[in-house]
Amino acid sequence: CLSVNEDAMMRDARDSREVLRSPWYEQMFKPQWSLKTDQDAVTNYANTMGGSRVSKAQGSEIVGLRGDCLLLDDPNTPHEAESKKARDEVNELWETNIYNRVNDLTKSMWIGVQQRTNSGDWSGYVLKTTGAWNEQTNPGGWLHIVLPAEYEAARKCVTPWGSDPRTIEGETIHKERLPPE
């Protein structure tokens, strides 16, 4: 897991570990493993069946690390996304140091989470170079999920596995955090 914001990376790693330790997770998923006690750092923890989570700040050394799922969180800050030079640097980092940090380029998964602020940001770059997912024509592409803060029926996000549950134009994605007013 990589994030341009080290504080967010630490928060998310900590929260993920707490979910895995929770009674809810245990009851819901009934895992056949537990978290190891000898590898239990916030940014690097493992389970008793060989799974692990390693979290790093984007730009830190990741050569030699690999995984079956790579999560990239906000690779461009909104401020950096306005600079072509900064956008190009992030896209170059993706191509040369991040993209191939998976165990199997044909089966591994990449997940990118990003607030879009520029069409040339990282999300725009991967959609342009790899293309959007399509079961028939581009099964190796990116499934582009767009969830605007305020619901727009014309842009309703639909995937093969579900869709944005909102139906009222202008309805916010998180009423408590983003009240309509």
Side-chain angles (χ1 to χ4, degrees), residues 16-17 20-21 25-26 31-41 44-54 68:
S16 171
R17 187 176 63 174
L20 295 174
R21 289 178 172 163
Y25 186 89
E26 187 78 28
Q32 302 300 306
W33 49 263
S34 59
L35 291 177
K36 294 177 79 172
T37 56
D38 64 342
Q39 186 177 340
D40 194 22
N44 187 353
Y45 49 90
N47 68 40
T48 55
M49 291 187 73
S52 65
R53 176 178 172 140
V54 176
D68 292 311

Side-chain angles (χ1 to χ4, degrees), residues 32-174:
Q32 302 300 306
W33 49 263
S34 59
L35 291 177
K36 294 177 79 172
T37 56
D38 64 342
Q39 186 177 340
D40 194 22
V42 170
T43 59
N44 187 353
Y45 49 90
N47 68 40
T48 55
M49 291 187 73
S52 65
R53 176 178 172 140
V54 176
S55 299
K56 298 269 191 181
Q58 183 177 305
S60 59
E61 191 58 57
I62 60 171
V63 172
L65 299 177
R66 296 204 181 284
D68 292 311
C69 178
L70 190 144
L71 173 63
L72 194 58
D73 177 39
D74 280 326
N76 301 101
T77 66
H79 175 72
E80 289 174 335
E82 294 308 310
S83 161
K84 180 171 179 359
K85 181 177 186 273
R87 290 191 313 267
D88 289 349
E89 286 173 1
V90 168
N91 297 339
E92 176 71 15
L93 183 65
W94 166 255
E95 286 293 335
T96 59
N97 294 333
I98 299 174
Y99 168 74
N100 63 357
R101 297 289 109 203
V102 293
N103 289 323
D104 185 332
L105 287 167
T106 63
K107 295 179 184 173
S108 293
M109 179 185 309
W110 297 263
I111 299 172
V113 178
Q114 181 168 31
Q115 174 186 345
R116 297 299 308 275
T117 57
N118 188 291
S119 62
D121 63 14
W122 175 80
S123 293
Y125 176 78
V126 296
L127 286 168
K128 180 180 173 189
T129 58
T130 309
W133 178 86
N134 181 299
E135 192 170 19
Q136 282 77 40
T137 61
N138 192 14
W142 286 79
L143 179 59
H144 188 207
I145 298 174
V146 179
L147 297 171
E150 293 182 349
Y151 179 69
E152 301 170 34
R155 295 177 60 201
K156 183 177 179 89
C157 183
V158 178
T159 74
W161 308 280
S163 64
D164 188 337
R166 298 175 292 172
T167 57
I168 300 167
E169 195 74 26
E171 182 179 357
T172 64
I173 196 163
H174 191 282

Side-chain angles (χ1 to χ4, degrees), residues 1-6 8-9 12 56-58 71-74:
C1 299
L2 298 171
S3 178
V4 73
N5 181 325
E6 191 167 359
M9 176 269 299
D12 294 348
K56 298 269 191 181
Q58 183 177 305
L71 173 63
L72 194 58
D73 177 39
D74 280 326

